Amino acid sequence: MRAAAIQRFGDPDGIAVIEVPAPAPAPGQVIIETEAIGVGGVDAVIRRGTLRGYGFSEGLIPGSEVAGRVTAVGSGVDASWVGRRVWAFTGTSGGYVEQAVARIEDVVALPVDLSSIDAVTLGSAAPVAHFALAHAHFVPGESVLVRGAAGSIGIATVELAARAGASAVAVTTSSPERGRRLRELRATHVLDRSGAGDPAAPAAFDVIVDIVGGAQLPAFIDRLAPNGRFVVVGVVAGMPPGDFGTRLTGAFQQSRSFATLSLDTVPVPERDAVRAAQFAAAARGELHAVVHEVLPLDQAAEAHRRMDLGSVFGRIVLTP
């Protein structure tokens, strides 16, 4: 089968389409004939080589979520899964393929009215947004800032915070057009990447959800209100400086908090229940899958080029 692999860390030209053996399911696994493959920010971080110290090596097939139809199951898996349309998490790699392997505990059945393309747009992003707000102990009436809101996680966070009764939902983004689209998704204040640009926006926020990370993260810690909570869910701009914690200790009397959030720490039943509920909400039109573009698998490198240019609003999806 065809797969897109990172042959060389660095720019998107290091991604190439290769032929690999078709997989067979091990016990507890399923094989999925992919109809849609999500292209996530973490894929770009891995491709750049930023996480090579965490065990990622060249030759890796990126991608963590797919949707399609189950074609085979391993021992210990109910055979009734064969033929069903599903969303699946493939781990931190293995998604950019024509036939994906997933553990059955990482598979969720899809509603009839939800497309595979919409499923991979929401399947990881919307649960991250949900659990980030929960991790921040967000309650109705509080103000929220979403840093880096134009991607699928940011968009989902904006929608979920607004639906949950936030008093203000501010976003940072790179252009007025993106800001306009985020307002349509119920953002109330649009800021530039530095956090400026709207004098009516709150000066400080109860909750900040950060998808960006990078060198400017400490400046946003300063935007926390007393008892404010800062949750990092991504580092698409790289790791923050090692001394970022001095911003917290320097404002000791503000009782601010800093945390990271990974779905890996969420119990599987709770995670899957939220995901299934969000898929159902999307099928009813209550939660929106924002798809920037759909490209064929052999244009995986082009998808990464567009992400690197910062021109993507929502998610790019690959199809075999």
Side-chain angles (χ1 to χ4, degrees):
M1 67 171 181
R2 292 184 309 146
I6 301 171
Q7 302 289 63
R8 184 188 70 255
F9 283 140
D11 63 43
D13 290 340
I15 297 177
V17 175
I18 61 173
E19 293 285 333
V20 299
Q29 293 181 336
V30 301
I31 303 299
I32 300 160
E33 184 177 2
T34 56
E35 298 171 351
I37 301 158
V39 179
V42 68
D43 302 346
V45 174
I46 291 169
R47 184 259 303 160
R48 294 176 193 127
T50 306
L51 302 179
R52 71 176 75 206
Y54 292 84
F56 296 97
S57 57
E58 293 178 337
L60 173 143
I61 296 169
S64 62
E65 62 182 310
V66 302
R69 200 169 297 276
V70 176
T71 58
V73 300
S75 63
V77 179
D78 190 331
S80 67
W81 279 100
V82 175
R84 297 178 71 181
R85 289 182 59 250
V86 299
W87 173 94
F89 174 68
T90 62
T92 53
S93 62
Y96 290 15
V97 294
E98 293 178 316
Q99 298 178 59
V101 180
R103 303 181 306 169
I104 189 60
E105 57 262 41
D106 293 325
V107 172
V108 175
L110 292 178
V112 172
D113 295 333
L114 187 70
S115 72
S116 292
I117 288 171
D118 286 353
V120 297
T121 302
L122 293 170
S124 288
V128 168
H130 171 93
F131 288 107
L133 291 169
H135 203 54
H137 302 286
F138 166 78
V139 295
E142 291 189 315
S143 58
V144 177
L145 171 64
V146 184
R147 182 173 177 237
S152 53
I153 294 174
I155 289 168
T157 306
V158 168
E159 281 210 290
L160 292 178
R163 286 176 58 191
S167 60
V169 182
V171 296
T172 69
T173 191
S174 60
S175 72
E177 172 59 21
R178 287 181 167 196
R180 181 190 65 77
R181 296 186 67 181
L182 287 163
R183 284 186 182 277
E184 292 173 352
L185 293 162
R186 299 181 64 182
T188 58
H189 303 280
V190 176
L191 309 176
D192 62 24
R193 285 178 170 173
S194 72
D198 184 349
F205 297 89
D206 299 303
V207 171
I208 298 177
V209 176
D210 191 328
I211 302 106
V212 181
Q216 299 305 312
L217 181 147
F220 284 87
I221 291 177
D222 292 342
R223 299 292 295 272
L224 284 173
N227 297 306
R229 290 87 69 198
F230 195 113
V231 179
V232 176
V233 298
V235 288
V236 295
M239 295 296 184
D243 63 350
F244 74 87
T246 59
R247 296 297 182 103
L248 291 167
T249 55
F252 196 89
Q253 292 177 312
Q254 298 293 309
S255 301
R256 295 165 172 167
S257 302
F258 181 93
T260 59
L261 184 280
S262 167
L263 288 183
D264 290 345
T265 62
V266 178
V268 171
E270 185 178 355
R271 184 185 65 202
D272 287 350
V274 166
R275 182 173 285 124
Q278 290 175 330
F279 283 155
R284 294 190 300 267
E286 297 169 5
L287 190 62
H288 298 93
V290 179
V291 180
H292 180 84
E293 194 168 8
V294 179
L295 296 172
L297 178 61
D298 60 12
Q299 291 189 34
E302 179 61 25
H304 278 244
R305 288 187 196 97
R306 296 181 191 188
M307 285 201 298
D308 283 1
L309 288 172
S311 60
V312 175
F313 186 84
R315 172 150 290 190
I316 293 181
V317 176
L318 301 175
T319 56

